[in-house]
């Protein structure tokens, strides 16, 4: 007997899902042993869209029709955002329909609540597509390495930022012109803020860290910085240091607690994550027992994300068909704790500090005095040949220092008359 699907949202993800469900129906049926049938599609523009499915499929602009339809077993929420999407998901779960969603923002904010609601109604909520599109990272954390204890997780979770950073690295063009190119190519949105300011990556890290560490981590708990300040010269200096720069999402269990951050960081050039270029995503995980594993693939796109949705649909369809009462939580833990991550200022790391100055004598001496006052040791001073004495970028790298000390020193340095913009600090992440 078939299991039926109602698909709400026919944007990028919805269309990819529909295409795969339709074109790949034979293979899906062979794997499941029964058909997975699209019963209804819903979109505000359903009338004007060319929809690749049989004419028997219900087409509607009203999501409530899909959620209430007694012949639909699983609802796919593919509209994104947090308002209507929440009503759709709560409505479907309340009707005892399982839900498959691609919605990282909503699941990062309210996932634990929605899972409780699903549980109370004896149904499931699945969200593989919410993080790193085509990489089955939820399945890995929920099932593949569930027997391990995750100690560290590092990710490149925003394809747009990674595309922009690696283009700056390759072409030496400035952020603004690379962003414009990314927008033209369709890699960046007209309003790029969610991507380049780290907010999209932050939601994804909140979800992955919940799966990895069993804590209900809110995105606002995660220290986040975007990539707008990274300049081509930062790559030149980073390369001199045998490093590169990536928007690194980090979740690390330390003796004192969990550290979480999303920020542009220097990483060693020979690290596996340094080879992740363009719009790709990757996640590197260290387990206490299984040690290192690495996952790589497309983080977005209609079809890679569609595969994630369809694979979730197949898993949930099997549960429905074979009546599985013990569902695995989408967060890998039956219950999530409410632990807060450690404040970033307590973190101790080497830092890359880039200064842009109007050149004159005594600048290094001034900086060295202030850094020494805050007990920060200098590891190296790097200066490329001077092209313009009115805008000279140079770099100081430090010995491992508390971020609080770095922040305090930089506040003091900010008032120096030789600076033409505030100093820019990035941690130098090691150990992977
Ligand atoms: N905008 C995201 C990215 C893809 O650039 O990775 C969707 O999560």
């Amino acid at each position: 007997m078939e299991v039926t699907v109602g698909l709400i949202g026919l944007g990028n993800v919805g269309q990819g899902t529909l295409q795969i469900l339709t074109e790949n129906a034979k293979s899906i049926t062979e794997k499941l042993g029964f058909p997975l049938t699209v019963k209804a599609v819903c979109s505000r523009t359903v009338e004007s869209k060319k929809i690749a499915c049989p004419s028997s499929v219900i087409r509607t602009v009203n999501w409530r029709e899909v959620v209430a339809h007694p012949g639909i077993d699983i609802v796919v929420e593919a509209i994104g955002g947090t308002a209507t999407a929440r009503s759709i998901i709560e409505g479907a779960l309340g009707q005892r329909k399982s839900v498959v969603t691609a919605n990282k923002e909503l699941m990062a904010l309210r996932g634990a609540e929605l899972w409780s609601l699903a549980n109370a109604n004896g149904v499931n909520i699945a969200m593989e597509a919410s993080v790193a599109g085509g990489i089955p990272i939820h399945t890995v954390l929920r099932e593949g390495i569930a027997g391990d204890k995750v100690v560290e997780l590092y990710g490149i979770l925003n394809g747009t930022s990674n595309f922009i950073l690696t283009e700056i690295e390759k072409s030496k063009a400035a952020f603004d012109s690379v962003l414009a190119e990314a927008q033209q190519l369709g890699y960046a949105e007209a309003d790029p803020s969610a991507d380049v300011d780290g907010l999209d990556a932050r939601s994804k890290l909140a979800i992955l860290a919940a799966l990895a560490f069993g804590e209900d981590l809110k995105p606002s708990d995660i220290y986040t910085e975007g990539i707008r300040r990274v300049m081509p010269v930062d790559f030149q200096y980073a390369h001199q240091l045998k490093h590169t720069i990536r928007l690194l999402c980090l979740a690390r269990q330390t003796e004192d607690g969990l550290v979480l951050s999303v920020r542009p960081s220097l990483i060693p050039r020979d690290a596996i994550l340094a080879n992740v270029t363009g719009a790709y995503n990757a996640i590197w995980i260290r387990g206490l027992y299984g040690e290192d594993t690495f996952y790589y693939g497309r983080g977005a796109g209609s079809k890679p994300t569609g595969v994630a949705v369809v694979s979730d649909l197949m898993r949930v369809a099997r549960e429905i068909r074979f009546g599985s009462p013990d569902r695995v939580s989408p967060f890998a833990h039956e219950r999530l704790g409410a632990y807060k991550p450690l404040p970033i200022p307590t973190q101790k790391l080497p830092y890359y500090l880039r200064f842009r100055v109007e050149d004159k004598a005594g600048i290094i001496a001034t900086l060295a005095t202030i850094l020494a006052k805050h007990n920060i040791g200098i590891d190296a001073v790097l200066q490329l040949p001077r092209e313009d004495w009115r805008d000279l970028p140079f770099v100081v790298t430090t010995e491992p220092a508390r971020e609080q000390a770095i922040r305090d020193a930089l506040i003091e340095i900010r008032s120096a008359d030789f600076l033409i913009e505030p100093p820019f600090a990035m941690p130098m992440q090691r150990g992977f």
Side-chain angles (χ1 to χ4, degrees), residues 152-158 198 200-206 208 222-223 246-252 259-265 273 282-284 429 432:
E152 292 171 79
L153 179 152
Y154 300 91
I156 292 176
L157 299 178
N158 185 264
D200 171 87
R202 178 176 84 162
S203 293
K204 293 168 178 169
L205 182 64
L208 289 190
I222 299 178
Y223 177 79
R246 294 288 182 268
L247 182 66
L248 191 70
C249 300
L250 167 163
R252 186 191 278 146
V259 177
L260 290 166
S261 64
V262 175
R263 64 198 302 192
S265 308
L273 282 170
I283 301 110
W284 183 95
Q429 296 287 354
F432 52 85

Side-chain angles (χ1 to χ4, degrees), residues 104 130 157-161 187 189 195 200 204 281 299-300:
K104 71 210 140 206
S130 65
L157 299 178
N158 185 264
T160 306
S161 299
Y187 284 127
E189 309 271 347
D195 291 320
D200 171 87
K204 293 168 178 169
N281 280 194

